[in-house]
Amino acid sequence: MKKNKQWVWVISVLLVLSAALIALLNRYTIYDWYVLRSYTPDAQIMALASNSGMNNNGASIFYAHQPRVTNQEEFNAVCTVGEETIVLGCYTGYDFNTDTDIFIYNVEKTELNGVKEVTAAHEMLHAAYDRLSQSERKRVDAMTMAMVQKISNPRIKKLIEGYQERDPASVPNELHSIIGTEIANVDPDLEAYYDQYFSNRQKVVALSEQYESVFETAKNDAQRILGELALRKSEITKLESNIESDYNALSDSRQRLDRLKAANDIEGYNNAVPDYNQLVNAYNQEVAEVKQLIDEYNALVSSYNQKIGQQQELVNSIDSKYQPVN
C-alpha cells in the first residue's frame, strides 16, 4: 500500500512537471491566445500588418503585443533605448504588466509614406526573434551573419557597423529585423525562414526602398546644385579675369586715341576707332555675361538653401526628439 502511494506521488509529480514543460514550450502560443481573445486591432494597425506583407502568423505576433501608433511625448517616454539611427519604433519585450509592447512613431510627412509599415515589420521581427529557441536562434544568426558579407547598401553597412561598435550583443537581433525588412535578395534558406512571418516580404522591402529613396533624392539634388554652383563660380572667376584684362586693354586703347587726338592725327585716330569700339563691345558683352552668371549663381544658392531646408524637414519629421523653435 505504501509503495502504491509512492508511485501515485511520483506519477503526480511527473504529470505536474510534464504540464509545466508543455506550458513552457508553448508559452508564446498561450500568451498569444490570452491576449488575442480580448484584443481587436483597429483599422490602422491592421493596415500596417497587411501593407507590410505580414502573413497570419506575423500579424498574430504583431497583434499579440497590442501595437500602438503614438505621438512624440509618449514615444519618447517609452522608447528610451538609444539607436544608431533616428528611432521610429521600439519593442519593449514581453511584459504581462503592460498592454502595449510595440510602439510606432507617428510619422505624418506624406513623402515618407511606408515608414510606419517598415517600422511595424521591423518591431514584429524583434518579437519573433524573442520566441526562437536557442538552437533555432543559432541557426538564424548564422544565416543573417552570412548575409552581412553580401550587403552592398552603404547606409545599411554603416548602420550595422554602428551596432557592432556600440553593442555587439545586439547585432544578431538587429540583423534579424534589418535584413528581413530592408534587403530584397537573401539566401534561399533565410528567405524560407522569413516565410514564417510574411506572405510577401518584398512589399515591406519596397516600402523601405521607397522612403530611403526620398532621402537619397534630396541628398543627390543638393549635391547636384553644389556642383553647378562650383561650375558657375569657376566661370565667373574666369570671366572676371578676362574682364580685368580687357579693361586694361580698353584703357590703353582709350589713351592711344587721346594721344592721337591731341597730336591732331585725324587719320590715325579714325583708323584706331574701330579697334577701340570692338574692345568696348567685347568688354560690355563679358560684363553682361558675368552679370547673368552671377544671377544664375544667386538663384542656385536660393535653390540649394531650399533643398537643404526640405531635407532637414524630412529628417525632423522622423526625429522623435525634434522640437521646433517658435
Side-chain angles (χ1 to χ4, degrees):
M1 189 72 177
K2 188 175 182 181
K3 286 184 178 181
N4 288 338
K5 288 184 178 179
Q6 288 177 339
W7 275 111
V8 170
W9 182 83
V10 170
I11 291 171
S12 299
V13 170
L14 289 174
L15 287 173
V16 170
L17 291 175
S18 297
L21 180 60
I22 291 171
L24 179 64
L25 293 174
N26 294 279
R27 63 190 181 282
Y28 298 120
T29 302
I30 296 170
Y31 176 88
D32 292 351
W33 171 83
Y34 178 79
V35 173
L36 296 177
R37 68 189 178 91
S38 59
Y39 170 75
T40 302
D42 62 28
Q44 183 182 29
I45 295 300
M46 291 178 67
L48 291 180
S50 175
N51 294 339
S52 61
M54 294 182 200
N55 61 19
N56 289 337
N57 182 46
S60 293
I61 294 172
F62 184 52
Y63 298 154
H65 296 280
Q66 303 189 46
R68 184 156 70 238
V69 177
T70 186
N71 59 27
Q72 187 180 52
E73 183 179 356
E74 180 184 41
F75 186 84
N76 288 336
V78 176
C79 299
T80 57
V81 178
E83 295 281 351
E84 292 300 323
T85 58
I86 293 172
V87 180
L88 303 176
C90 69
Y91 162 66
T92 58
Y94 287 91
D95 188 349
F96 285 94
N97 296 317
T98 60
D99 292 333
T100 299
D101 304 317
I102 291 178
F103 296 85
I104 299 166
Y105 185 52
N106 188 26
V107 178
E108 297 179 318
K109 201 116 179 117
T110 55
E111 295 94 323
L112 298 177
N113 286 343
V115 65
K116 285 183 281 194
E117 284 84 351
V118 176
T119 301
H122 182 103
E123 303 306 333
M124 178 275 288
L125 286 175
H126 277 315
Y129 190 83
D130 254 5
R131 298 168 174 240
L132 299 178
S133 65
Q134 281 192 334
S135 60
E136 179 68 353
R137 188 173 296 180
K138 184 177 180 179
R139 186 180 76 89
V140 171
D141 289 349
M143 291 190 291
T144 56
M145 285 302 297
M147 276 303 305
V148 171
Q149 308 306 318
K150 303 175 184 180
I151 293 174
S152 58
N153 185 311
R155 179 189 64 81
I156 295 178
K157 290 174 69 174
K158 185 177 180 181
L159 174 61
I160 294 170
E161 289 169 0
Y163 279 115
Q164 287 172 334
E165 291 175 4
R166 193 198 68 175
D167 183 11
S170 71
V171 171
N173 194 337
E174 293 299 336
L175 282 178
H176 180 260
S177 287
I178 292 169
I179 292 174
T181 56
E182 301 186 48
I183 303 297
N185 299 313
V186 302
D187 294 333
D189 288 346
L190 186 55
E191 192 68 73
Y193 164 76
Y194 282 126
D195 284 345
Q196 296 179 81
Y197 312 113
F198 296 95
S199 58
N200 183 0
R201 194 178 64 84
Q202 295 308 314
K203 288 179 71 173
V204 71
V205 173
L207 290 173
S208 172
E209 292 174 346
Q210 174 183 300
Y211 82 78
E212 181 182 0
S213 72
V214 173
F215 288 97
E216 282 299 310
T217 298
K219 177 183 175 182
N220 292 338
D221 285 348
Q223 291 297 320
R224 175 183 54 79
I225 295 173
L226 278 178
E228 292 182 14
L229 282 171
L231 178 61
R232 294 294 185 281
K233 182 66 175 177
S234 175
E235 292 173 341
I236 290 170
T237 300
K238 183 178 179 180
L239 265 178
E240 286 177 338
S241 178
N242 291 342
I243 287 172
E244 185 177 357
S245 297
D246 289 348
Y247 179 81
N248 292 333
L250 189 61
S251 295
D252 291 343
S253 181
R254 176 74 256 183
Q255 290 173 13
R256 181 168 177 266
L257 285 175
D258 290 343
R259 288 194 299 270
L260 290 171
K261 185 176 182 181
N264 202 29
D265 185 351
I266 303 302
E267 183 179 359
Y269 182 90
N270 289 337
N271 289 337
V273 166
D275 290 339
Y276 175 77
N277 289 338
Q278 186 176 2
L279 286 172
V280 169
N281 290 335
Y283 177 82
N284 288 337
Q285 183 177 349
E286 288 176 335
V287 169
E289 287 179 8
V290 79
K291 182 179 181 304
Q292 180 180 348
L293 284 173
I294 289 173
D295 288 343
E296 291 176 1
Y297 182 88
N298 290 336
L300 284 170
V301 168
S302 177
S303 179
Y304 176 76
N305 290 336
Q306 184 180 16
K307 289 291 182 183
I308 291 299
Q310 292 171 349
Q311 189 175 357
Q312 191 58 51
E313 281 183 14
L314 290 173
V315 172
N316 292 342
S317 71
I318 59 171
D319 183 359
S320 66
K321 302 297 191 296
Y322 173 70
Q323 294 289 342
V325 177
N326 297 322

